Amino acid sequence: MKARRKTSRKWWAMAPGMTPALARRFEQGMKRGDTVMDLTSPERETYVVPASRYKVHCSMHPAWAGRIAKLNKKNISIKSRDGSDRRALTQEYCLKGLHRMQGNNVMIVNAIGHRRCRTCHYAAAAGHPMPPEKVEEIKAAVADGATFNQICNGHPPGGGEIDRSLIITTAPKLQRQRKLDPEFDAFLEKHFAANVFVGQLLRHNKDASEEMKTTLRLIGKIRHKVKASGAQLPRLHEQRPRRRR
């Protein structure tokens, strides 16, 4: 016959489950940050009741069991976070050891406070550098009048409904490639300025004919070239003096 544990003698005369006082003590321990394992393990200082009595009490009081389950899940996550090597390693530098984990570079990614390096996150989201054929495709589209919003979000210049077939890449990938390739960045900077101006002309003349829109595109490109050359653009009308109200 298997001998009874010495610690079980005090439970012999008690009804199944837990008394109201023990249930309150158990819930207070959970709110303090303990887990069910902490409160049902006899070898721990936080021990309250055996695991068998806890399970019986949960079956008898489902509402109480639901509260305890939520607290237990939260406490386990916090202990896992605070006791992990990952958190200790990301106090000063990111996991790769490349970026300082301070200021705006720290991202808190969930409710329990997991830390992530913003620079590494953006680099991972952007992926690998663009292949040469993708770079040439973007250059051709931009030279033809595409804007940032067109090649990344599908917004046609001058406004209109989103056309996903116009999307060539994503904004993070494009921005990363611009940082990696200064020549590519200079090319986009030069053409985006002209294309945005043309887009504004088209947006303010939505009802114009296609022939007029073609003329507006040409005017916008010529204006940008003249402005880029450093020449002074003539005013088409006298600027009115501002009146103070």
Side-chain angles (χ1 to χ4, degrees):
M1 183 176 178
K2 186 177 179 180
R4 291 180 178 270
R5 297 193 307 271
K6 293 182 180 179
T7 55
S8 65
R9 290 182 177 274
K10 64 179 181 180
W11 308 110
W12 287 0
M14 187 179 293
M18 289 188 276
T19 63
L22 284 175
R24 285 194 300 271
R25 181 181 166 192
F26 197 98
E27 191 166 357
Q28 288 172 358
M30 296 296 297
K31 291 179 178 178
R32 189 173 57 243
D34 297 330
T35 63
V36 171
M37 183 68 70
D38 295 331
L39 300 174
T40 57
S41 299
E43 65 276 6
R44 302 191 183 183
E45 295 181 358
T46 53
Y47 172 70
V48 177
V49 293
S52 57
R53 281 193 172 269
Y54 163 73
K55 292 178 181 178
V56 171
H57 193 79
C58 286
S59 63
M60 296 170 61
H61 304 276
W64 182 88
R67 295 199 306 272
I68 296 300
K70 288 182 179 179
L71 290 171
N72 188 50
K73 184 178 179 179
K74 176 184 174 182
N75 295 345
I76 288 174
S77 298
I78 293 174
K79 286 196 172 189
S80 176
R81 178 200 69 186
D82 294 342
S84 68
D85 294 337
R86 184 186 183 93
R87 182 172 178 82
L89 291 173
T90 56
Q91 290 304 306
E92 294 188 9
Y93 290 91
C94 65
L95 291 176
K96 295 181 179 179
L98 301 176
H99 314 107
R100 281 194 172 274
M101 294 291 289
Q102 56 185 237
N104 292 334
N105 194 45
V106 179
M107 294 175 61
I108 305 300
V109 296
N110 52 29
I112 61 174
H114 285 161
R115 294 156 58 88
R116 181 178 295 175
C117 173
R118 189 180 298 274
T119 305
C120 291
H121 173 72
Y122 285 164
H128 299 289
M130 290 182 184
E133 56 270 19
K134 179 66 73 173
V135 173
E136 293 302 322
E137 182 184 358
I138 293 174
K139 281 186 174 182
V142 171
D144 194 39
T147 61
F148 180 91
N149 267 335
Q150 176 182 325
I151 63 178
C152 294
N153 302 317
H155 293 280
E161 295 183 358
I162 295 176
D163 184 359
R164 300 195 66 82
S165 65
L166 298 175
I167 298 177
I168 302 176
T169 185
T170 62
K173 289 182 179 180
L174 182 63
Q175 298 295 57
R176 185 167 188 259
Q177 186 64 27
R178 294 180 71 173
K179 291 180 180 179
L180 295 175
D181 189 347
E183 183 181 350
F184 177 67
D185 179 53
F187 178 88
L188 294 186
E189 189 72 24
K190 173 185 174 182
H191 285 81
F192 276 160
N195 297 345
V196 168
F197 178 74
V198 172
Q200 290 174 348
L201 286 178
L202 296 175
R203 184 164 59 251
H204 292 296
N205 296 273
K206 290 182 178 180
D207 299 330
S209 62
E210 285 301 321
E211 184 179 356
M212 177 59 72
K213 289 183 179 180
T214 302
T215 305
L216 289 173
R217 291 188 182 94
L218 181 60
I219 291 173
K221 289 184 179 180
I222 293 173
R223 181 187 180 279
H224 179 70
K225 287 183 178 180
V226 173
K227 189 175 180 181
S229 67
Q232 185 69 28
L233 291 171
R235 286 191 176 277
L236 301 180
H237 58 81
E238 292 294 332
Q239 186 175 10
R240 295 180 180 179
R242 294 182 179 179
R243 294 181 180 178
R244 293 185 179 180
R245 295 181 179 179

